[in-house]
Amino acid sequence: MTQKFDRIVVVGGGSAGWMTAMALVTGLKGRVNVEVVESEEIGIVGVGEATFPSIRHYNQLVGIDETEFLRATNGTYKLGIRFCDWLEVGRDYFHTFGHFGNLFGSQTLWAQYRRMRLAEPLGLQCVPTVMAMQGRFALPSEQDQFKYAYHFDAVRYAAFLRQLAMQRGARHTQGRIVDVVRRADGGVAAVQLDDGRRVEGDIFVDCSGFRSLLLGGALQEPFVDFSHWLPVDGAWACPTERVGEELAPYTQATALEGGWAWRIPLQNRTGHGHVFASRFIDPERAREQLLARLDGKPVAEPRLLRFTTGHRQRFWVNNVIAIGLSSGFLEPLESTSIYLIQDGISRLMTMLTAGRPLDENDRALFNDGSVRRFARIRDFIILHYCLTRRRDSELWRHVATMELPETLAFRMELWRRYGVLHEYDEEGFDATSWLAIHAGMEHWPERDDPVFAEIPPERALQALQGRRNAIAASVARMPLHHQMLGQVLR
Ligand SMILES: Cc1cc2nc3c(=O)[nH]c(=O)nc-3n(C[C@H](O)[C@H](O)[C@H](O)COP(=O)(O)OP(=O)(O)OC[C@H]3O[C@@H](n4cnc5c(N)ncnc54)[C@H](O)[C@@H]3O)c2cc1C
């Protein structure tokens, strides 16, 4: 059965809905009608302030100017994440979007670092990590190449995209969907609004958030539950006023008794939240813990969000494609939701621009790729938890001893035995990211590779120290994050 797509209805106007609409009107210019249906009364989830470097790629593809974007969204630069108290209370490490590189030509640097048993963090060998430690930011250069992302106000981002997408021809329909009209083949023919209007379409992109109105609701697609491995199921979010001039160029994620707390600096305020597992901590206690941590005056009441980690079994069924929270959620530890939205959009655009009606193969490829992408990112997030040495609460005892997904257990075994950073297809994070977590959590291979011992230890040490000093000196000349932002936004 093939499916035409002249009329595309996007259900939902959060980040997922407007990112999708913007990509459609840009990539299929004038060839399709795009209509976004959203309910102002229901609103959007509005969290989702930390991103992944791929957001830059998305913005470039749809023609968004970086400075305009930073202005419109109160955005700041993000070099990565600082993880506090994950290994043990009082210990921290960075996962930034940069490489550790090689030594002596093609030798992996980490292996020499490990061989020397240095007490200083491996991160000192990585330019963006040192930038993050020093609170500095400069754009990548020929000499210092690394990726970066942003922190931004998700509500403003959706509004910014809406304005641009409408300028490019997207239709915007306000109204609460109260019913879904089905086709004889089980697909969706139209959505029915509370004032009696009907919005008909050929395909429907379900961006309705956790409600999953079409895929989970009307089509009843089962949910694949990951909460055994990712047990967090709630979050308190509470923004505060910005305190002081300085801005951290990173997200901070601090492990707590029953979950972890985020700290996300924007230009005008700081996002705070506590993601918790209600199996292990009472939500009220989680709220109190968040309030006790705030480092500024709250600008809103703490807001509670509930979720289950996992995804719909299939992401695309009949003529409904789910993108965003309606398709699944993996918890925000590595800021991957907007990346997954982008991933869904890019898969869809590849198929829509192929110049023929959609068929079963498109659906199968979309579903297969999306399921694997979720599984890869799930494994990466679990890695942050399962390597902990903490045993001070039920949550940490659970994650330290739980049975792991086979795919993760296999790659951890390869790392431990042979020092191999195995990669599957559809990875969300490359080997350097995996290395950053292994190193930060002091999880090293059982033995040093004898090949690396051929370099005399003094030479290896000298090379490591030389590189570390050169990076520190070069970063010290960069502007502080708020200075850089000030220059850009001037
Ligand atoms: C605690 C928490 C922290 C997060 N942190 C991050 C992060 O740091 N980084 C990141 O990338 N992601 C993060 N996310 C995820 C991120 O918030 C979402 O991926 C992103 O906001 C996209 O949401 P969405 O558009 O899918 O859903 P929503 O924003 O919820 O939008 C749903 C839309 O559907 C509409 N809708 C629903 N029902 C109806 C109806 N009946 N009729 C009409 N319209 C309807 C709503 O009005 C709304 O417009 C976080 C999520 C949570 C819960």
Side-chain angles (χ1 to χ4, degrees):
M1 182 191 68
T2 59
Q3 171 69 59
K4 64 183 180 109
F5 52 87
D6 301 333
R7 297 168 306 165
I8 304 179
V9 178
V10 177
V11 171
S15 311
W18 285 110
M19 284 177 79
T20 305
M22 182 72 174
L24 290 168
V25 290
T26 308
L28 295 166
K29 263 182 228 105
R31 281 185 277 156
V32 292
N33 290 319
V34 178
E35 180 160 3
V36 178
V37 184
E38 69 169 320
S39 158
E40 214 163 59
E41 183 198 333
I42 293 175
I44 69 173
V45 67
V47 278
E49 302 182 323
T51 58
F52 196 68
S54 59
I55 185 79
R56 294 184 52 228
H57 188 54
Y58 172 85
N59 283 353
Q60 280 159 11
L61 278 179
V62 297
I64 291 177
D65 172 75
E66 182 171 74
T67 307
E68 230 178 277
F69 159 80
L70 288 168
R71 251 194 215 114
T73 62
N74 277 325
T76 60
Y77 296 107
K78 172 181 169 181
L79 289 164
I81 304 175
R82 178 182 179 197
F83 291 97
C84 303
D85 301 341
W86 286 78
L87 177 62
E88 289 166 353
V89 174
R91 303 284 301 274
D92 72 344
Y93 70 94
F94 282 87
H95 167 210
T96 59
F97 311 118
H99 285 265
F100 299 99
N102 290 341
L103 274 188
F104 312 116
S106 61
Q107 287 202 6
T108 44
L109 181 146
W110 71 260
Q112 287 296 353
Y113 162 87
R114 173 64 186 151
R115 173 185 166 224
M116 303 315 297
R117 298 292 188 272
L118 295 180
E120 65 188 38
L122 176 62
L124 293 182
Q125 302 286 340
C126 176
V127 173
T129 303
V130 178
M131 288 164 71
M133 286 169 161
Q134 293 189 16
R136 296 179 189 277
F137 186 83
L139 292 168
S141 62
E142 195 119 310
Q143 188 198 345
D144 295 323
Q145 293 188 8
F146 56 87
K147 294 182 192 156
Y148 68 92
Y150 310 109
H151 302 120
F152 60 69
D153 180 328
V155 175
R156 281 174 162 253
Y157 186 50
F160 179 60
L161 288 174
R162 177 174 63 210
Q163 193 191 0
L164 292 175
M166 287 174 69
Q167 280 165 8
R168 293 181 196 183
R171 275 186 65 186
H172 182 209
T173 300
Q174 282 276 7
R176 190 186 181 103
I177 297 167
V178 288
D179 200 8
V180 178
V181 184
R182 306 293 291 274
R183 299 194 308 207
D185 68 356
V188 170
V191 287
Q192 174 93 42
L193 306 186
D194 55 355
D195 59 6
R197 280 176 298 162
R198 263 185 183 199
V199 180
E200 295 178 353
D202 299 317
I203 60 173
F204 288 77
V205 188
D206 183 353
C207 299
S208 61
F210 287 128
R211 284 180 174 78
S212 195
L213 276 186
L214 305 186
L215 189 65
L219 271 60
Q220 294 279 298
E221 183 63 13
F223 191 77
V224 179
D225 190 326
F226 287 161
S227 55
H228 170 68
W229 299 299
L230 298 175
V232 293
D233 60 356
W236 287 101
C238 184
T240 61
E241 282 175 358
R242 175 174 167 183
V243 180
E245 212 178 18
E246 296 208 354
L247 283 172
Y250 54 82
T251 303
Q252 184 161 308
T254 306
L256 301 175
E257 170 197 339
W260 60 274
W262 78 72
R263 184 180 187 284
I264 300 178
L266 303 187
Q267 287 172 38
N268 59 329
R269 61 171 167 81
T270 307
H272 288 273
H274 183 180
V275 182
F276 61 89
S278 63
R279 258 158 79 191
F280 301 117
I281 187 169
D282 179 63
E284 203 37 48
R285 184 170 163 78
R287 180 178 180 275
E288 281 160 19
Q289 287 182 352
L290 175 67
L291 293 177
R293 296 181 52 79
L294 299 181
D295 55 5
K297 196 168 150 219
V299 292
E301 279 297 305
R303 190 157 66 96
L304 179 63
L305 298 129
R306 300 309 298 252
F307 52 83
T308 307
T309 55
H311 60 79
R312 297 281 153 197
Q313 202 164 300
R314 290 172 299 172
F315 292 64
W316 181 341
V317 179
N318 205 313
N319 65 336
V320 172
I321 301 127
I323 291 183
L325 297 174
S326 61
S327 67
F329 184 52
L330 283 174
E331 85 133 287
L333 185 60
E334 277 285 354
S335 325
T336 43
S337 289
I338 291 172
Y339 165 71
L340 285 165
I341 290 172
Q342 223 184 304
D343 189 48
I345 293 173
S346 114
R347 273 179 220 285
L348 182 62
M349 290 305 294
T350 307
M351 291 165 183
L352 296 183
T353 50
R356 49 167 179 72
L358 302 165
D359 63 24
E360 244 356 285
N361 287 335
D362 294 315
R363 277 185 276 270
L365 286 168
F366 188 97
N367 287 330
D368 191 46
S370 305
V371 166
R372 275 181 292 150
R373 181 82 80 194
F374 261 73
R376 304 292 177 252
I377 296 177
R378 172 203 65 196
D379 287 0
F380 185 64
I381 297 176
I382 297 171
L383 187 77
H384 298 60
Y385 285 95
C386 71
L387 295 174
T388 188
R389 288 187 199 142
R390 289 183 66 154
R391 299 291 185 273
D392 53 307
S393 69
E394 256 192 276
L395 168 71
W396 297 105
R397 287 191 288 275
H398 167 74
V399 295
T401 52
M402 67 188 173
E403 199 182 319
L404 300 176
E406 262 177 44
T407 41
L408 175 59
F410 177 68
R411 67 202 292 170
M412 285 175 69
E413 183 68 4
L414 287 180
W415 171 248
R416 259 195 300 262
R417 276 175 179 253
Y418 314 114
V420 169
L421 290 161
H422 179 71
E423 289 189 75
Y424 295 102
D425 59 355
E426 300 288 356
E427 288 290 358
F429 291 87
D430 64 15
T432 310
S433 286
W434 283 78
L435 174 60
I437 311 306
H438 285 304
M441 297 298 278
E442 296 190 354
H443 180 238
W444 293 106
E446 284 156 4
R447 62 177 186 105
D448 297 331
D449 190 329
V451 168
F452 294 96
E454 281 173 20
I455 305 272
E458 323 68 70
R459 232 187 111 207
L461 192 61
Q462 204 179 23
L464 286 164
Q465 285 173 343
R467 192 182 139 102
R468 179 247 280 149
N469 293 343
I471 291 176
S474 128
V475 170
R477 290 191 290 273
M478 295 177 182
L480 292 168
H481 183 199
H482 73 277
Q483 292 168 339
M484 177 70 191
L485 208 52
Q487 282 169 28
V488 169
L489 299 175
R490 202 170 31 215

